[in-house]
Amino acid sequence: MTFEPTREAGLARLAEFVPRAGRAYAAERNTDRGPGDRSNVSTLSPWVRHRLVTEREVVEAVLQRHSLDAAGKFVQEVYWRTYWKGWLELRPSVWARYSASVAPALDSLSAADRATYDDAIAGRTGIEGFDDWARELVELGYLHNHARMWFASIWIFTLRLPWQLGADFFLRHLLDGDPASNTLSWRWVAGLQTVGKTYLATTQNIEFATEGRFSPRGLAESAPAVDDDGPIPAPGPAPRPEPLPRGRVGLLLHEDDLHSESLELAGLEVVAVASPTAGEPRSPAADPANALVAGFTAAALADGRARAGAHFGADASALDRLTASAIRDWASSYDLTAIVTPYGPVGPVRDRLDQLERELSDDLTLTRILRPWDALAWPHATRGFFPFREKIPALLREQQIGP
Ligand SMILES: Cc1cc2nc3c(=O)[nH]c(=O)nc-3n(C[C@H](O)[C@H](O)[C@H](O)COP(=O)(O)OP(=O)(O)OC[C@H]3O[C@@H](n4cnc5c(N)ncnc54)[C@H](O)[C@@H]3O)c2cc1C
């Protein structure tokens, strides 16, 4: 299984998967047959995470082939991503608290816990399956959803390590590493997300869902909820689309949305395109050795930049760093009066865009383009996934997706 960081490769994977997205997916998706056979899931997440292929395109392609009844489970899984992103968007302080907690959690490990942590991330705890998933993650940058759940559960309840350090390990190594899906899934396993409800990995379930590949012994038999993160904040307002600027406009791309061809930019004349050469650091405990994620993200940025340049008939520049001075230099060389950029959801890209907006002068505006997919769905992420799920048919109708 390989992940080529281009839109073309993502679309090819989508086309190959579409026939299997109906009832076969619903029946078989929970089985983890190992990295040699991923035919029961889409493995689209690295492309979707960077919007090399958008959620809308994935759902549209699937619903052209299957009814919503047959492909309901798959469509719902794509909407889990949208839900998590909306949930965090309405409660950005949960991300801020998590990011601020990683470095202190690492620093305050006891010597014994530090040794356990080092063993866990190196895949040498002696726990069958867990060690294999740690190595699989580092080598391939992808894990099956169930392996992620088992791994997180064993990390928290058997090894008794801080959930934040496990989330950080995933975020650094997953090609699809996503601030919302990752942080909130780890919180869900730990019992912080649905308060008091935890996920306990059992030998029996692992044996069954790996078709006997793994049968780990000595797993925790109970999963008392973690309680280290204060109350869940009330949801704030969802972002709304901003009016488009006038004048000579530059398009600034970033790693969270690399299909600018489908952004709603009606009437704008984009005279220049730019994107950074590298993604934002994902972790305060940055791991410079993680070449896999860095390489995927950099190549995805280059792919998005080249396509945008061709689409808008504009020069496409690679910026070494996403700093205000680099942006000002780029803007002045094309006489830009305004910059537009895809909306950056809560996470490192958003933090960078906020900083840029503060530092750029008033004569160079930065307008974030929100997609209808997000603008329509995120306001519904106020409660749990089940009330959100009820909205899916209406959300699809509003966007004229499906029959
Ligand atoms: C502890 C933990 C950490 C996770 N971290 C991430 C992460 O950093 N990034 C990430 O994209 N997903 C994350 N997930 C969710 C899920 O495991 C992956 O999205 C999924 O395994 C990706 O594989 P796939 O593309 O083959 O999924 P498929 O089953 O083919 O699903 C199709 C698409 O739907 C979305 N999706 C599916 N399941 C979920 C889910 N449970 N939550 C959110 N979106 C989902 C993904 O975009 C995926 O590409 C995490 C889950 C857990 C339990």
Side-chain angles (χ1 to χ4, degrees):
M1 185 182 54
T2 53
F3 296 99
E4 196 193 320
T6 64
R7 171 167 165 77
E8 197 185 349
L11 289 175
R13 183 69 55 93
L14 173 61
E16 187 196 320
F17 172 69
V18 161
R20 294 181 270 115
R23 298 196 202 283
Y25 173 83
E28 294 174 27
R29 57 182 278 271
N30 283 335
T31 306
D32 180 357
R33 302 195 179 110
D37 180 1
R38 292 284 178 230
S39 58
N40 57 335
V41 288
S42 73
T43 64
L44 281 167
S45 52
W47 290 281
V48 174
R49 185 260 175 260
H50 294 289
R51 281 193 164 153
L52 286 167
V53 179
T54 66
E55 296 89 333
R56 180 184 173 114
E57 288 178 297
V58 172
V59 169
E60 263 183 331
V62 164
L63 292 181
Q64 268 162 22
R65 172 79 178 236
H66 305 275
S67 66
L68 183 55
D69 193 33
K73 193 70 205 169
F74 181 77
V75 171
Q76 193 178 304
E77 292 307 311
V78 176
Y79 267 107
W80 259 110
R81 171 181 166 78
T82 305
Y83 168 74
W84 284 139
K85 295 207 79 73
W87 194 96
L88 197 58
E89 203 61 32
L90 305 187
R91 301 161 185 87
S93 62
V94 171
W95 167 255
R97 281 202 310 243
Y98 157 76
S99 325
S101 68
V102 174
L106 196 56
D107 290 344
S108 57
L109 288 177
S110 66
D113 285 345
R114 176 75 208 204
T116 307
Y117 169 80
D118 289 340
D119 286 345
I121 63 174
R124 49 165 199 253
T125 61
I127 302 175
E128 203 180 304
F130 184 92
D131 288 348
D132 302 79
W133 300 317
R135 288 194 297 267
E136 191 178 325
L137 171 64
V138 172
E139 282 163 24
L140 298 178
Y142 175 89
L143 286 178
H144 185 279
N145 181 54
H146 259 65
R148 299 181 197 211
M149 288 161 59
W150 299 320
F151 188 96
S153 180
I154 294 170
W155 180 285
I156 297 167
F157 302 115
T158 300
L159 299 175
R160 296 174 180 275
L161 290 169
W163 70 270
Q164 294 93 334
L165 294 182
D168 178 67
F169 177 52
F170 266 28
L171 195 59
R172 283 186 284 126
H173 289 281
L174 282 169
L175 295 177
D176 64 31
D178 176 76
S181 294
N182 189 58
T183 314
L184 303 181
S185 297
W186 275 86
R187 285 172 53 90
W188 175 80
V189 172
L192 289 162
Q193 194 62 18
T194 308
V195 176
K197 189 174 177 305
T198 55
Y199 175 75
L200 181 66
T202 65
T203 305
Q204 196 190 20
N205 179 245
I206 293 171
E207 259 177 18
F208 176 74
T210 61
E211 298 182 330
R213 285 188 305 123
F214 300 120
S215 179
R217 301 288 144 183
L219 301 187
E221 287 174 3
S222 65
V226 173
D227 179 18
D228 67 355
D229 199 49
I232 292 179
R240 289 160 169 265
E242 295 176 41
L244 292 177
R246 294 168 184 278
R248 288 180 62 78
V249 174
L251 171 63
L252 178 67
L253 295 177
H254 54 69
E255 70 201 270
D256 284 357
D257 191 325
L258 289 168
H259 189 235
S260 59
E261 299 94 310
S262 61
L263 285 177
E264 293 194 355
L265 299 177
L268 276 196
E269 196 201 340
V270 172
V271 296
V273 170
S275 79
T277 51
E280 291 297 320
R282 290 186 181 182
S283 162
D287 170 6
N290 185 19
L292 197 65
V293 166
F296 188 92
T297 308
L301 282 161
D303 182 68
R305 185 164 65 234
R307 275 184 289 100
H311 179 78
F312 293 103
D315 284 352
S317 312
L319 307 177
D320 279 345
R321 303 197 50 214
L322 216 46
T323 58
S325 73
I327 303 277
R328 265 193 230 104
D329 289 347
W330 169 60
S332 81
S333 56
Y334 290 94
D335 282 334
L336 303 178
T337 55
I339 298 174
V340 295
T341 189
Y343 190 87
V346 169
V349 169
R350 155 74 67 81
D351 296 343
R352 176 69 65 194
L353 293 178
D354 287 349
Q355 187 190 353
L356 281 178
E357 194 166 358
R358 284 193 300 273
E359 291 173 7
L360 287 173
S361 52
D362 288 345
D363 54 352
L364 193 59
T365 56
L366 182 68
T367 304
R368 307 179 203 202
I369 313 292
L370 188 62
R371 288 180 183 271
W373 181 276
D374 299 328
L376 290 169
W378 287 351
H380 298 297
T382 49
R383 295 183 290 145
F385 181 70
F386 296 103
F388 177 89
R389 186 177 68 175
E390 304 295 316
K391 309 284 181 197
I392 293 176
L395 288 170
L396 294 173
R397 272 197 305 278
E398 277 176 281
Q399 296 173 89
Q400 294 165 352
I401 299 175

